[in-house]
Amino acid sequence: MNVFYRIQPNNSEMKILLIVCDGMGDRPCGELGGKTPLEAAYKPNLDRMASEGMCGLVDTIAVGVRPGSDTSHLSLFGYDPREYYTGRGPFEAAGVGMELREGDVAFRVNFGTVDGDLVVTDRRAGRIDDVTELSRAVDGIEIDGIRFTVKAGTGYRAGLVLRGEGVSHMVSDGDSHESGSRVIEVKPLDGTPEAGKTAEAMNKYLIKAHGILGEHQVNRKRIAGGKPPANFILARGAGRMPHIPPMKERYGLKAACVAGAGLYRGVAKAVGMDVYTPEGATGKPNTDVKAKVSKAIELLNSGYDYAFIHVKATDVYGHDGDAKGKMKFIEKVDEALAPVLTLRDTVVAVTADHSTPCSTKNHSGDPVPLLIWSPDLRTDDVKEFGERPCGKGILHRIRGLDLMNELLNLAGRGSIYGA
Ligand code: ZN
Ligand code: ZN
């Protein structure tokens, strides 16, 4: 029988490390002998943490609700998305490094290709790899008192921020989400004058930007080289930047995020985390998970109270329906987690933001496994990290919003409710 306790540090306030493997939850896979990718993976480090810690399941939003990655991360950080979320745009824009103010409206944007009749012929403009110059050309334009700011993200992606008196997020996408159809007009989604004004200005802006982009030397060169020009801004996911109290104010935590993909950097930044992307952290299957883990440990050792590591590729394999790939990637994550087991004054949690079953290839409402590993907690009999083993854990089934309270409690940082 193993003895599952570690020495508690003298300082009663411990640090917190949250590791989220995006879309890691799954369902039994035929090609894995009826196990989930997590259950089938060889993962001695995660299994040890599950054995020594406590386990459970998490409904990141609510039972049976299929979470988006943005809303579920807000929940895991203790921020109710019903209060703080209106659309993905502001988090994407923050993720590409744009400074958003409360009340700003933001879209996520693709630079795409349209023909002379504004029919979309390529939603990603031949996967153009850099739109920095094109973004600059359409940045800073003002229409009807609304200022349009554009900043390039990775590849064909960018953020678009609207700032001005009475700007509204209640407007539709300007993106039909498919090639072969005409770009769609942005329409107001409610009867307010603000939504009407915003939609009208947005449409004027998109046509003006189309004119500028069509003439741009970057696109002239592309056409000369036989490549599709990036001549239209396809905008979607309008959202309003809410006032979000930062984690320092709300929990007294100096917090850091280690992530490669834009959306997660954006959500983390919006809740007041300092964002780090170590070299090799790509947000893709080739990502360097070890570099992320050592960066997070370095941050916890240099003044941060809370570190969040985001690992994206588990979700990518789920969307591809690649159960073996997902299992192998989980093994890579497990190997990278070895240094975490040397931490002595830290509450460690490992979970996912939602399930992305290989069978459905999309996000599902199945709860995700959770383990919490810390020197001073009630252990349970779960010996293995997996969806079904965690279902037998002492944490039972909690909501995403409960996680932060539990971590603060175990870290000796919770405040007493009442007297
Ligand atoms: Zn996700
Ligand atoms: Zn996904």
Side-chain angles (χ1 to χ4, degrees):
M1 174 70 191
N2 294 332
V3 178
F4 293 137
Y5 69 86
R6 290 177 287 147
I7 305 300
Q8 202 182 350
N10 289 333
N11 184 351
S12 64
E13 284 197 353
M14 288 191 280
K15 292 175 186 271
I16 296 170
L17 172 61
L18 171 65
I19 300 158
V20 177
C21 295
D22 207 288
M24 178 168 64
D26 213 302
R27 292 177 184 171
C29 300
E31 59 190 299
L32 300 176
K35 290 189 169 182
T36 68
L38 178 61
E39 289 168 358
Y42 175 70
K43 45 176 191 326
N45 294 317
L46 286 164
D47 287 346
R48 185 179 145 196
M49 284 195 273
S51 300
E52 297 178 0
M54 56 188 192
C55 293
L57 293 172
V58 187
D59 294 292
T60 50
I61 305 296
V63 174
V65 175
R66 297 171 61 200
S69 287
D70 39 18
T71 48
S72 55
H73 274 83
L74 281 171
S75 280
L76 293 172
F77 302 148
Y79 294 82
D80 190 340
R82 278 157 286 216
E83 192 176 334
Y84 295 105
Y85 185 80
T86 56
R88 180 169 179 151
F91 302 106
E92 293 278 356
V96 301
M98 301 179 86
E99 296 296 332
L100 278 83
R101 291 186 205 152
E102 190 180 340
D104 285 353
V105 167
F107 292 81
R108 59 193 299 235
V109 157
N110 278 11
F111 277 77
T113 307
V114 297
D115 67 13
D117 300 320
L118 296 183
V119 171
V120 180
T121 54
D122 190 330
R123 290 194 61 248
R124 302 180 181 93
R127 290 195 173 264
I128 182 170
D129 57 10
D130 184 12
V131 293
T132 307
E133 268 191 71
L134 294 171
S135 296
R136 270 191 214 124
V138 292
D139 176 44
I141 292 170
E142 212 168 303
I143 293 170
D144 302 341
I146 297 174
R147 189 179 163 83
F148 292 79
T149 312
V150 184
K151 189 161 187 281
T154 53
Y156 50 84
R157 302 178 195 89
L160 170 64
V161 174
L162 283 59
R163 180 174 295 167
E165 197 62 32
V167 69
S168 168
H169 69 280
M170 291 302 288
V171 293
S172 68
D173 291 355
D175 180 1
S176 65
H177 298 262
E178 55 190 1
S179 287
S181 55
R182 202 169 181 280
V183 297
I184 48 176
E185 264 194 7
V186 175
K187 294 190 182 66
L189 294 178
D190 65 20
T192 61
E194 288 80 8
K197 171 186 156 173
T198 305
E200 201 183 315
M202 184 72 181
N203 287 320
K204 285 185 195 164
Y205 172 75
L206 293 176
I207 291 302
K208 180 160 187 171
H210 173 53
I212 294 168
L213 294 171
E215 297 296 317
H216 198 280
Q217 48 147 347
V218 166
N219 279 328
R220 286 173 188 259
K221 266 189 218 159
R222 287 183 68 81
I223 293 167
K227 292 177 184 160
N231 62 3
F232 203 90
I233 292 176
L234 297 167
R236 60 193 189 282
R240 182 180 177 278
M241 191 64 179
H243 172 70
I244 305 185
M247 286 178 79
K248 182 80 192 158
E249 198 177 286
R250 189 156 165 150
Y251 309 121
L253 295 173
K254 184 169 156 63
C257 154
V258 182
L263 178 66
Y264 312 94
R265 295 203 304 258
V267 177
K269 197 174 165 202
V271 299
M273 291 188 208
D274 295 330
V275 178
Y276 296 87
T277 303
E279 189 145 349
T282 58
K284 297 188 184 133
N286 66 359
T287 194
D288 187 346
V289 189
K290 284 182 183 163
K292 284 186 186 168
V293 171
S294 62
K295 185 71 193 176
I297 292 176
E298 177 198 320
L299 293 167
L300 290 172
N301 286 332
S302 60
Y304 283 96
D305 308 305
Y306 174 103
F308 153 62
I309 299 175
H310 180 261
V311 181
K312 176 71 186 166
T314 26
D315 183 54
V316 177
Y317 284 110
H319 283 289
D320 288 346
D322 181 357
K324 283 210 172 109
K326 192 169 176 181
M327 178 192 82
K328 288 234 159 66
F329 185 79
I330 291 167
E331 292 178 346
K332 176 175 161 176
V333 172
D334 184 79
E335 205 189 322
L337 289 178
V340 171
L341 290 153
T342 65
L343 293 172
R344 284 293 172 269
D345 56 348
T346 308
V347 178
V348 180
V350 184
T351 189
D353 57 342
H354 50 79
S355 296
T356 308
C358 293
S359 56
T360 65
K361 300 184 183 182
N362 210 331
H363 301 187
S364 76
D366 304 72
V368 294
L370 165 68
L371 74 79
I372 300 179
W373 186 73
S374 159
D376 185 22
L377 47 67
R378 298 172 185 160
T379 54
D380 55 29
D381 294 330
V382 179
K383 300 276 182 275
E384 185 194 329
F385 191 45
E387 289 84 345
R388 284 169 287 192
C390 284
K392 297 177 185 149
I394 197 167
L395 282 164
H396 305 289
R397 191 164 172 167
I398 65 171
R399 295 174 314 156
L401 272 178
D402 299 325
L403 179 67
M404 196 67 200
N405 284 335
E406 186 63 297
L407 297 178
L408 290 167
N409 168 48
L410 292 170
R413 292 173 178 272
S415 46
I416 292 179
Y417 176 67

